[in-house]
Amino acid sequence: MDSTLGEDQVIIEVLKQLVEPLAQSLPNTEVLVHDLSLLPNSIVAIHGDVTGREPGDPATDLLLEQAARQKFETRVGYYSRLPDGRRTKGTTIAITNGSGKAIAALCTNTDVGWWDELSTIISAMTEPAAPPEPEEPTEPAVEAFVHDVDELTDLLLRRAIEGQQVPVELMRKEHKVQVVRQVRAGGMFLLRDAAETVAAALEVSRFTIYNYINEIEEEDRILEELDQK
């Protein structure tokens, strides 16, 4: 290992070496490493082809949301769905340096669609004594696997706007503030030109978006002070 590398980079380089052997030892699984200093385009190593991503592709919406909260967490065995409907089971491990700062994420995504297909075949062959159904996820899809920042931006905006259940042209200020609140919580303002993008989508000026953000921050500050009393 290059002795000139800093501690964080040494850790990331070690993680990158684990990606291929781990992926080869786990069936139907891709393994990848995110360098959190490179967000949003944080994938620095990946092996396997479950989600079709490659180095240089951006973080998922889940990881970006954690970045916005400045709180990266290890999460094990959560379910998501790919665009073609296949289920995946994922694990995200937050990797910290000696100071306790999260610097990387080591992730696995396993395609469990093969189990669904196998269960269907077994059921058809063994009726009426069919085997138990595979355990269904206890939560909805929680992660979106995007391939570029534009796709990530579109996803965050679409979710927030659709959540208001009001067309943009009919939205009042309170609707637009809620959209800004949601995309802010999702980490969208960590992306380049986010204010301009949100402003265009909501048909307001960039300065209006900044005003909304100031209002949201002030409201959050007041609520935090009340909670502490």
Side-chain angles (χ1 to χ4, degrees):
M1 192 72 67
D2 189 340
S3 61
T4 64
L5 294 176
E7 177 195 1
D8 292 0
Q9 196 57 44
V10 168
I11 294 172
I12 289 170
E13 290 301 319
V14 170
L15 292 172
K16 288 164 67 174
Q17 294 180 43
L18 299 176
V19 166
E20 184 172 349
L22 282 175
Q24 291 177 342
S25 66
L26 300 171
N28 304 299
T29 298
E30 71 177 14
V31 181
L32 62 148
V33 173
H34 290 274
D35 181 341
L36 300 180
S37 71
L38 299 179
L39 287 167
N41 296 95
S42 54
I43 297 179
V44 292
I46 186 168
H47 192 83
D49 192 29
V50 174
T51 64
R53 293 174 296 165
E54 58 187 28
D57 281 354
T60 64
D61 55 334
L62 176 62
L63 199 58
L64 192 67
E65 179 186 355
Q66 293 186 358
R69 292 190 286 116
Q70 292 291 296
K71 187 176 181 180
F72 293 97
E73 304 167 331
T74 292
R75 192 168 186 178
V76 178
Y78 57 88
Y79 288 90
S80 298
R81 283 196 184 274
L82 298 173
D84 62 9
R86 285 177 295 152
R87 283 199 301 146
T88 64
K89 189 174 184 179
T91 289
T92 297
I93 304 171
I95 307 296
T96 59
N97 60 16
S99 301
K101 176 185 176 183
I103 61 168
L106 177 63
C107 306
T108 65
N109 295 300
T110 301
D111 179 357
V112 295
W114 64 274
W115 171 252
D116 296 334
E117 296 176 2
L118 180 61
S119 177
T120 299
I121 294 172
I122 293 175
S123 296
M125 295 177 63
T126 60
E127 289 183 350
E133 291 292 326
E135 182 181 352
E136 286 297 322
T138 57
E139 55 183 314
V142 295
E143 193 166 28
F145 307 105
V146 297
H147 296 81
D148 57 56
V149 173
D150 288 342
E151 187 179 350
L152 182 57
T153 298
D154 291 343
L155 172 71
L156 296 174
L157 262 176
R158 184 177 69 254
R159 281 179 179 171
I161 291 173
E162 290 177 353
Q164 295 306 304
Q165 299 182 331
V166 178
V168 171
E169 60 271 18
L170 297 180
M171 282 185 180
R172 297 189 296 271
K173 176 185 175 181
E174 56 264 34
H175 297 121
K176 295 183 180 183
V177 170
Q178 286 304 313
V179 170
V180 173
R181 177 182 287 279
Q182 184 171 333
V183 297
R184 176 176 175 270
M188 183 162 176
F189 289 104
L190 298 176
L191 308 179
R192 180 178 297 179
D193 300 326
E196 290 82 355
T197 303
V198 177
L202 295 181
E203 301 176 358
V204 298
S205 71
R206 175 166 53 94
F207 298 104
T208 297
I209 297 299
Y210 292 142
N211 287 335
Y212 290 168
I213 293 173
N214 290 335
E215 290 181 22
I216 291 167
E217 291 177 345
E218 178 64 14
E219 181 181 334
D220 289 347
R221 182 189 66 78
I222 293 172
L223 291 174
E224 183 178 351
E225 290 178 353
L226 290 174
D227 287 341
Q228 293 174 353
K229 291 183 178 179

